[in-house]
Amino acid sequence: MYNKRPLILISNDDGYDYNGIKSLIKVARTLGDVFVVAPAVHQSGKSSAITFVNPVRTIKVAQEPGYTAYLATGTPADCVKLALSQLMADNMPDLVLAGINHGYNSGLNTLYSGTMACVFEGILHGVPSVAFSFGDYSSDADTSVCEPVVKHVTERVLKGGLPKDVCLNVNIPKVDGGFKGMKVTTGDMGRWVNEWEHRVDPTGRDYYWLTGEFEIADKNEGLTDYYWLERGFVTVTPTHVDQTDYESMSQIADLLL
């Protein structure tokens, strides 16, 4: 498909020093030339937030044949926007990869995920995009176990492409003894409960710490990412940014017009 090595843009929300992005870069460099624009500080939970009050600054931290890396002071979405419209404007990538996130981005977590914001920006710019997340939330998670999955998915997408305006959300379980397989699934439409913990500081003032438990919606049907992740399978959810509910348009028109 390519007369030259493909060019792969990589970003994340954890930052350049995390194991997840190091594993992603390691695999991607075996498959193509790599250009990284990563947040200068940890940016989890930023969703598709963008920076428009303050300037976004960059610093180049690596430059060698086939590999360039920048840190940016903005959000994950800023990083990909900046890469595609400025830093790579004369040489657009063939693929955007995001992650490997330390922790799942399954189910409704995609609404809050900075990792997913990276791939949403990718498809908004017409570039096939894949996000990877791993079910180990520790900052020193051993993401090397994810590398065979990353290589398999990336190779297939580079060869076959993706449907227009569709990105992939890949979640990799933390399991002993190896993964049981891979499933293409929907995202679980559960909800977060007990989301805030109320505390009092030493001066007697109230404050709140975000916590919570995810209440799974589909426990038995076997259609969703949570169901299969709990059973040791890698899940792949095709995702897009168009949130229009086309099926209800006529009903809403009858109601309002």
Side-chain angles (χ1 to χ4, degrees):
M1 180 176 178
Y2 294 98
N3 295 320
K4 59 181 180 62
R5 281 169 65 81
L7 179 58
I8 302 171
L9 170 62
I10 291 177
S11 191
N12 73 342
D13 65 4
D14 291 320
Y16 188 68
D17 292 329
Y18 271 65
N19 290 342
I21 197 169
K22 292 176 183 177
S23 287
L24 197 56
I25 292 167
K26 175 185 174 183
V27 174
R29 293 191 71 179
T30 70
L31 303 175
D33 293 341
V34 172
F35 198 105
V36 177
V37 184
V41 297
H42 196 281
Q43 295 275 354
S44 289
K46 294 292 185 178
S47 186
S48 291
I50 55 175
T51 303
F52 57 87
V53 175
N54 300 310
V56 175
R57 304 182 188 277
T58 63
I59 179 172
K60 185 182 287 186
V61 294
Q63 178 71 73
E64 58 188 76
Y67 183 67
T68 302
Y70 285 85
L71 302 185
T73 58
T75 65
D78 288 331
C79 289
V80 177
K81 281 181 177 290
L82 191 62
L84 297 178
S85 64
Q86 292 289 323
L87 302 176
M88 306 179 75
D90 296 328
N91 192 15
M92 289 290 282
D94 301 290
L95 181 67
V96 172
L97 299 180
I100 302 167
N101 193 67
H102 290 230
Y104 288 139
N105 277 308
S106 50
L108 291 183
N109 290 321
T110 57
L111 294 175
Y112 311 110
S113 167
T115 305
M116 290 303 296
C118 295
V119 294
F120 291 154
E121 286 298 327
I123 59 173
L124 287 173
H125 286 80
V127 182
S129 302
V130 183
F132 295 94
S133 301
F134 179 43
D136 188 332
Y137 292 78
S138 61
S139 60
D140 62 348
D142 179 11
T143 55
S144 64
V145 298
C146 303
E147 291 170 11
V149 175
V150 171
K151 185 173 184 180
H152 171 79
V153 173
T154 303
E155 284 180 329
R156 293 297 181 94
V157 173
L158 282 172
K159 181 178 180 179
L162 290 173
K164 185 177 183 297
D165 299 330
V166 172
C167 58
L168 300 184
N169 178 23
V170 181
N171 282 278
I172 303 167
K174 182 182 179 181
V175 293
D176 295 326
F179 312 119
K180 294 183 179 178
M182 179 179 291
K183 297 285 185 179
V184 177
T185 73
T186 63
D188 191 278
M189 295 300 292
R191 65 190 185 97
W192 284 94
V193 296
N194 303 320
E195 294 184 87
W196 294 97
E197 183 177 313
H198 172 234
R199 300 180 183 180
V200 180
D201 70 18
T203 67
R205 292 181 297 182
D206 294 329
Y207 71 99
Y208 300 87
W209 196 266
L210 186 63
T211 175
E213 307 155 10
F214 192 79
E215 192 174 80
I216 297 173
D218 171 29
K219 297 181 180 179
N220 301 306
E221 294 183 11
L223 299 176
T224 71
D225 47 14
Y226 272 102
Y227 179 93
W228 290 111
L229 287 167
E230 288 184 337
R231 288 157 177 80
F233 286 80
V234 175
T235 64
V236 181
T237 304
T239 309
H240 55 71
V241 295
D242 184 354
Q243 299 183 42
T244 307
D245 183 2
Y246 292 96
E247 292 184 1
S248 69
M249 287 181 67
S250 60
Q251 179 182 350
I252 298 303
D254 290 341
L255 175 67
L256 299 178
L257 303 181

